Amino acid sequence: MKWAIEPTLIGSVIEIKTELPIQWKIADISSSPSVKILLSLHSHYLKHITAQRALGGSVYVASETVNMSLCVLLCALIAPAFASLSWGPPTEDQLDWWQDTVIYHIFPKSFKDSNGDGIGDIKGITNNLDYIKGLGVKTIWISSLYESPDVDSGYDVSNFTNIDPRFGSMEDFKELLGEIERKKMKLIMDFVPNHSSDQHEWFQKALRNDSECRDYYVWANPQMPNSFLKLPPNNWEIMKFWLDLGVDGFAMRSVNLMFEDKDLQVEQPNIIFDGTDCIRYECLNHSRTRDQPQVFELLAYFRRKLDNYSTSGERKETRILITEAYTSNDEAIKYYGFGNTSDGIAHVPLNLNLVSDLDEGADVFFTAISNWMNNLPAGAWPNWMVSSLDETAEIGNQDLSRVATRHSPYLADSLNMIILLLPGTPITYYGEEIGMEDTNMTFDQIMDIKGKMAGQNRYLEASRDFQRTPFQWNSQKFSGFTNGNTTWLPVNQNYPAVNMEDKKNGHLSIYKNLVALRKEPAIQKGETFIEVIGSRALTFKRSLRGHNEGIAVAVNFGEDQLEYINIKEALNIYNAIFTVAITGNRSIYNVGDKVDPASISLEPHDGLVFKYSSSTASISLVCFTLNPALIAVLRYVR
């Protein structure tokens, strides 16, 4: 008789699942070594089931045949010993377009140059929409296209209602929108509500004491070295202008910096750093200029405007709000809203937990995933990303390098398996689908203002350019990015082997297959159970409640081969046929192989995706706490 223990942390819920027939006996239960241990753990407390700190107890429940059987109760205090978590279906409703899609994030300077000047542009995106759609991706998010002196990579905006000539014209942008609509795709646009360029017309008027524009900015004497970048803030919206043109939503950058403490006092040094020669953002404790409560009020206003726009006019479709806030997990979660739908803020508050430079341990990634999922407000929709174009400085000592550089090209595929098959909306940074890596550069080659300000001796720790280099299309000159004689940043020298057209590069086919698998009902609306096996293997399953089939994923975060991995017990999937659906580039298996889930081999940094089908029903004993007593409920799970 085999048992599988599946503790599930939903509040204080814990589950024990078994293959036992519906009619079973106390003797059958007590014969299980696992249950004997559990009985031993809780037996001391049988007389204290109603106590305020009750740790366990025994309750009898009736089976379908009136036989009485012992329901073993576990307390929530025991649960942390198990490295596993479970979440119910992400939603019971029909998925909206932004929940069903993969978002492909483009840094426009580096995607495709259409006119030979070495800088990516709007026409380069338009001409390659078929490539993006061919990935299975239906939504693109384009970083700042606004007119700008380009001191800070386009985020120093001088005109919020015009396209920067480097990228093309407004007519080019309208053509892009038309093609996106024709191909039934969506476009999300960057929005920078926190600051403008000092060359913006409003700021220039403010300098001349224009009564209206003067109030657009917060004025104070600077107390920082003259070499530091000064970006004056603004506090207005331009969204309707772009919505009327046809964009489908906005990614609001640096939202947690939009308000400052009214006293504008100098911020204190961060005690984590010695302060002697610190050039990073986190060298100061930014409690007065970050995460102020007024931020949420303003964003809630933006959300209400978007929602009203979405329900008016001819095209009644959701226009979404993405928020970017480099802050703690707890603070980032707040951008979902205040706990009810009327106070909703962001549809997608960017989840940066997997972007950080995590140690290569399954338990570390498990914690990063569970920290987000366990803190979601009711009805909130998860999101996942593993790479970003933005700077290292705002995440402390964490490294925002491309995932293939931060970890390995093989683990890049495995992490795509995770973010594309977990519940929620995944965001792919351009080039991740082909395994692009950071590009080495000299100080003279970098363009990023933060790298230049850091100086020749420290630009490596400050520049954001290494993960922003041109997309690698083929093995031709400049990797097919441009027909010109130069590129704005150097192309990675590995482009002959790592490019979109290279058939030997398996990253792209793995990515496409993963995106295609997202159409499975188990991925769109299935429950999720995730478990760590040892310290190196992470595995999870997605399945619809009441169904016998589902998707299982296993990833080896270690640098050595793992053998005899038992995902059958880890995921509590018994008497099931496991078929390999997707493999990593190192796998010893082939797609279509039938495998023994009790003895899986994973190569270093390798990942596997399985489809499984089981004909055996199981019993789930759901034990949950009603303060102060513990109650047991018998549930049947097919």
Side-chain angles (χ1 to χ4, degrees):
M1 196 67 67
K2 293 185 178 179
W3 279 73
I5 300 172
E6 181 175 327
T8 303
L9 302 183
I10 306 173
S12 55
V13 176
I14 301 166
E15 293 187 6
I16 310 171
K17 290 186 178 178
T18 176
E19 283 182 67
L20 289 171
I22 299 302
Q23 191 172 2
W24 39 283
K25 301 177 180 179
I26 296 175
D28 294 327
I29 301 173
S30 61
S31 66
S32 165
S34 299
V35 175
K36 283 181 179 177
I37 294 172
L38 298 176
L39 286 168
S40 174
L41 283 171
H42 86 281
S43 61
H44 176 70
Y45 302 96
L46 293 179
K47 297 180 181 180
H48 305 283
I49 188 169
T50 59
Q52 183 68 25
R53 294 295 302 277
L55 293 182
S58 295
V59 177
Y60 283 81
V61 294
S63 72
E64 287 184 341
T65 59
V66 192
N67 287 338
M68 305 300 287
S69 302
L70 178 65
C71 175
V72 181
L73 293 180
L74 293 177
C75 69
L77 296 179
I78 298 174
F82 301 95
S84 58
L85 287 173
S86 176
W87 303 284
T91 181
E92 299 290 349
D93 301 325
Q94 182 67 32
L95 297 185
D96 205 347
W97 68 264
W98 60 274
Q99 297 171 314
D100 183 42
T101 192
V102 175
I103 298 175
Y104 189 82
H105 186 192
I106 295 173
F107 190 55
K109 270 189 176 182
S110 292
F111 190 62
K112 189 70 167 71
D113 172 24
S114 70
N115 61 7
D117 65 357
I119 298 174
D121 47 44
I122 293 172
K123 281 187 176 292
I125 299 173
T126 305
N127 295 341
N128 290 280
L129 286 177
D130 285 340
Y131 164 70
I132 298 172
K133 189 173 183 180
L135 298 174
V137 172
K138 295 181 287 187
T139 303
I140 61 171
W141 159 20
I142 306 179
S143 289
S144 182
L145 293 167
Y146 302 107
E147 188 173 331
S148 166
D150 201 30
V151 176
D152 186 30
S153 303
Y155 289 100
D156 49 326
V157 179
S158 58
N159 189 334
F160 285 90
T161 56
N162 199 21
I163 297 295
D164 193 286
R166 296 177 186 84
F167 301 126
S169 65
M170 186 62 77
E171 291 305 311
D172 293 335
F173 185 74
K174 291 178 180 178
E175 180 187 3
L176 171 62
L177 283 171
E179 284 299 300
I180 283 176
E181 183 177 7
R182 187 176 69 83
K183 296 178 185 297
K184 302 186 184 305
M185 299 174 70
K186 302 290 184 183
L187 172 65
I188 298 168
M189 194 173 183
D190 256 7
F191 183 52
V192 189
N194 181 60
H195 54 263
S196 76
S197 165
D198 57 4
Q199 297 181 32
H200 196 288
E201 177 187 2
W202 295 326
F203 187 72
Q204 292 299 315
K205 286 183 177 180
L207 289 177
R208 297 191 293 270
N209 288 319
D210 180 281
S211 59
E212 180 180 2
C213 293
R214 185 77 182 177
D215 289 339
Y216 288 169
Y217 297 88
V218 178
W219 300 92
N221 293 324
Q223 299 186 40
M224 57 185 180
N226 291 332
S227 61
F228 272 56
L229 186 64
K230 305 180 185 70
L231 295 176
N234 66 55
N235 59 354
W236 54 85
E237 61 168 304
I238 301 296
M239 296 187 290
K240 188 174 183 300
F241 174 86
W242 298 101
L243 289 169
D244 288 343
L245 286 176
V247 303
D248 298 286
F250 298 94
M252 288 196 178
R253 314 305 292 265
S254 304
V255 294
N256 59 326
L257 307 180
M258 288 194 294
F259 284 86
E260 296 82 24
D261 181 85
K262 64 181 180 180
D263 295 331
L264 296 177
Q265 297 183 25
V266 175
E267 294 182 305
Q268 299 302 307
N270 189 335
I271 60 174
I272 297 176
F273 301 90
D274 59 21
T276 54
D277 189 24
C278 188
I279 64 172
R280 292 181 176 274
Y281 173 80
E282 75 278 5
C283 296
L284 296 178
N285 181 357
H286 296 280
S287 60
R288 300 180 183 276
T289 58
R290 186 173 67 184
D291 299 323
Q292 301 299 305
Q294 299 93 329
V295 168
F296 302 102
E297 297 172 14
L298 179 59
L299 289 174
Y301 166 77
F302 286 157
R303 172 64 183 269
R304 289 194 297 272
K305 297 289 284 186
L306 273 178
D307 287 348
N308 290 338
Y309 193 96
S310 299
T311 56
S312 62
E314 295 182 4
R315 188 164 69 98
K316 292 180 173 60
E317 290 183 320
T318 304
R319 272 64 162 197
I320 73 164
L321 177 60
I322 298 173
T323 55
E324 173 205 62
Y326 288 100
T327 185
S328 67
N329 183 87
D330 291 345
E331 287 294 323
I333 289 285
K334 292 180 182 178
Y335 288 91
Y336 278 110
F338 301 122
N340 61 68
T341 53
S342 63
D343 290 322
I345 296 180
H347 299 84
V348 181
L350 289 183
N351 172 7
L352 300 170
N353 285 2
L354 301 184
V355 178
S356 301
D357 188 19
L358 302 174
D359 293 333
E360 291 182 5
D363 51 346
V364 178
F365 279 82
F366 172 86
T367 300
I369 293 168
S370 60
N371 280 348
W372 192 264
M373 293 295 291
N374 286 341
N375 289 287
L376 288 179
W381 187 256
N383 69 92
W384 310 97
M385 57 194 297
V386 290
S387 287
S388 166
L389 67 87
D390 279 311
E391 63 262 42
T392 62
E394 291 193 357
I395 292 198
N397 288 319
Q398 312 300 357
D399 185 356
L400 294 195
S401 294
R402 287 186 174 274
V403 66
T405 297
R406 199 161 74 243
H407 299 292
S408 77
Y410 301 105
L411 195 54
D413 294 327
S414 299
L415 288 175
N416 274 332
M417 293 177 184
I418 292 173
I419 70 167
L420 288 166
L421 300 181
L422 280 174
T425 298
I427 300 167
T428 295
Y429 184 49
Y430 80 99
E432 294 298 296
E433 74 276 16
I434 62 171
M436 281 182 60
E437 302 175 22
D438 286 6
T439 300
N440 295 325
M441 298 181 212
T442 66
F443 179 72
D444 293 334
Q445 289 175 311
I446 65 167
M447 304 294 290
D448 180 27
I449 184 64
K450 293 199 172 184
K452 290 183 177 296
M453 286 165 40
Q456 190 157 359
N457 294 329
R458 305 190 68 174
Y459 77 96
L460 292 174
E461 64 183 279
S463 179
R464 300 163 292 185
D465 283 340
F466 311 114
Q467 63 265 32
R468 293 178 169 182
T469 53
F471 186 84
Q472 294 161 213
W473 292 95
N474 53 46
S475 59
Q476 299 175 17
K477 184 179 180 181
F478 298 126
S479 198
F481 169 73
T482 181
N483 292 325
N485 297 316
T486 188
T487 58
W488 80 283
L489 284 178
V491 176
N492 196 306
Q493 293 183 359
N494 69 3
Y495 77 87
V498 180
N499 64 74
M500 185 271 290
E501 289 186 358
D502 190 347
K503 303 302 181 184
K504 296 179 181 179
N505 182 342
H507 301 293
L508 186 59
S509 62
I510 293 171
Y511 183 86
K512 287 182 177 181
N513 291 334
L514 288 168
V515 175
L517 195 60
R518 286 178 53 80
K519 297 177 183 177
E520 292 280 336
I523 300 301
Q524 293 194 341
K525 289 190 173 185
E527 298 177 314
T528 306
F529 177 75
I530 183 169
E531 172 103 50
V532 173
I533 305 173
S535 62
R536 292 184 292 166
L538 183 144
T539 184
F540 66 90
K541 66 178 178 181
R542 304 292 312 282
S543 59
L544 290 173
R545 183 175 295 169
H547 288 245
N548 296 337
E549 64 279 342
I551 306 295
V553 178
V555 172
N556 177 7
F557 282 88
E559 296 184 356
D560 300 308
Q561 184 189 49
L562 291 178
E563 296 182 302
Y564 312 115
I565 297 296
N566 191 340
I567 65 173
K568 169 182 166 181
E569 283 194 3
L571 299 179
N572 187 31
I573 306 172
Y574 291 91
N575 294 335
I577 298 172
F578 272 66
T579 304
V580 176
I582 300 173
T583 70
N585 278 324
R586 277 181 167 175
S587 180
I588 63 173
Y589 303 103
N590 296 312
V591 172
D593 285 352
K594 301 291 191 295
V595 299
D596 178 3
S599 183
I600 299 293
S601 293
L602 289 169
E603 298 301 302
H605 290 175
D606 190 23
L608 288 169
V609 179
F610 306 93
K611 289 185 177 181
Y612 68 85
S613 178
S614 174
S615 59
T616 302
S618 63
I619 294 174
S620 191
L621 296 177
V622 182
C623 305
F624 60 94
T625 301
L626 288 179
N627 192 11
L630 294 175
I631 297 177
V633 177
L634 183 64
R635 186 179 74 180
Y636 302 104
V637 180
R638 294 191 60 80

